Amino acid sequence: MIHHLTNHDYKVMPWKNGGGSTTELAISPPEASVESGFDWRISLADLDGSGPFSAFPGFDRIITQISGEAMTLRHAGRTAILLARNEPYSFEGELATDCILHGRAQDFNVMTRRGLAATVECLTIDTEPLRRVHKSGTTFIWVVFGSVMLHESSKGHDHRLDLHHAFEITGDYESVMTLKPREPDTLVFFVTITP
């Protein structure tokens, strides 16, 4: 299954505590929601200041700050962590977590039910094409900055991914994805989720 997603496909929803909003990029299964149960979810969070994170017991989280003022995460009983721009940070969803933020910021989030394996890579594509192979589970590509042409081998199709577009491929089959930058210093996030 292959999806090319644009801004029109995403869902925007406010936080329950009023501290920001979330743009849901993808969720599995597709009919799931945060309230009704899901296996994994990929989203953007717009933060308007300091405040607590919602707890997600039984889930693992990977958060990557992409813009804004410096964000510090403080977990109960642990040392506070200053997030570095475009560097993924993992933690357990049940941890009581506060964000310390003097200003506004945006971050990229991946949440997976415990037992699934997830990775996030932040990759700059300058002049040379970038290749990645999908074999099973889900591969999700999101354009943070710039734009790319993506060739997907299983269908033989080309996809133009502009700013904030995404490409999702799910299933147990091999596909070679070749990304060619349309702008210098294009930045993409590669997410892989496997059982």
Side-chain angles (χ1 to χ4, degrees):
M1 184 171 58
I2 292 173
H3 290 124
H4 176 178
L5 305 169
T6 71
N7 294 335
H8 300 292
D9 299 303
Y10 307 146
K11 300 176 184 177
V12 180
M13 54 202 74
W15 288 8
K16 291 180 180 178
N17 64 11
S21 64
T22 294
T23 301
E24 184 178 276
L25 306 179
I27 193 168
S28 179
E31 66 276 7
S33 69
V34 173
E35 292 79 17
S36 66
F38 62 97
D39 293 324
W40 58 259
R41 183 180 190 238
I42 300 172
S43 62
L44 296 175
D46 290 295
L47 294 84
D48 297 327
S50 299
F53 278 16
S54 299
F56 286 92
F59 284 81
D60 294 314
R61 303 185 65 171
I62 304 174
I63 184 172
T64 310
Q65 183 176 359
I66 59 176
S67 66
E69 301 298 322
M71 291 175 59
T72 298
L73 296 191
R74 185 173 55 197
H75 304 303
R78 297 191 183 182
T79 303
I81 301 294
L82 176 64
L83 299 184
R85 191 73 55 89
N86 297 328
E87 290 190 14
Y89 170 69
S90 304
F91 63 100
E92 298 91 345
E94 56 265 28
L95 283 178
T97 301
D98 289 298
C99 173
I100 303 169
L101 173 64
H102 302 289
R104 305 181 70 182
Q106 187 177 57
D107 59 58
F108 181 85
N109 293 275
V110 177
M111 289 193 292
T112 52
R113 188 177 300 280
R114 195 152 296 136
L116 297 176
T119 62
V120 177
E121 296 179 275
C122 307
L123 302 170
T124 299
I125 312 173
D126 193 4
T127 55
E128 296 299 317
L130 177 69
R131 289 178 177 83
R132 282 291 185 273
V133 179
H134 168 90
K135 293 186 178 180
S136 64
T138 296
T139 299
F140 187 89
I141 301 167
W142 187 67
V143 180
V144 187
F145 176 80
S147 63
V148 298
M149 289 299 301
L150 183 151
H151 178 78
E152 190 276 319
S153 67
S154 71
K155 302 291 186 183
H157 293 164
D158 293 315
H159 301 264
R160 173 175 161 171
L161 304 183
D162 290 325
L163 179 67
H164 295 172
H165 284 198
F167 184 81
E168 178 187 345
I169 180 168
T170 299
D172 296 329
Y173 59 93
E174 184 167 307
S175 173
V176 179
M177 294 165 291
T178 304
L179 285 76
K180 296 181 180 179
R182 300 184 66 252
E183 301 176 42
D185 298 322
T186 289
L187 178 65
V188 298
F189 284 1
F190 272 84
V191 180
T192 59
I193 303 171
T194 54

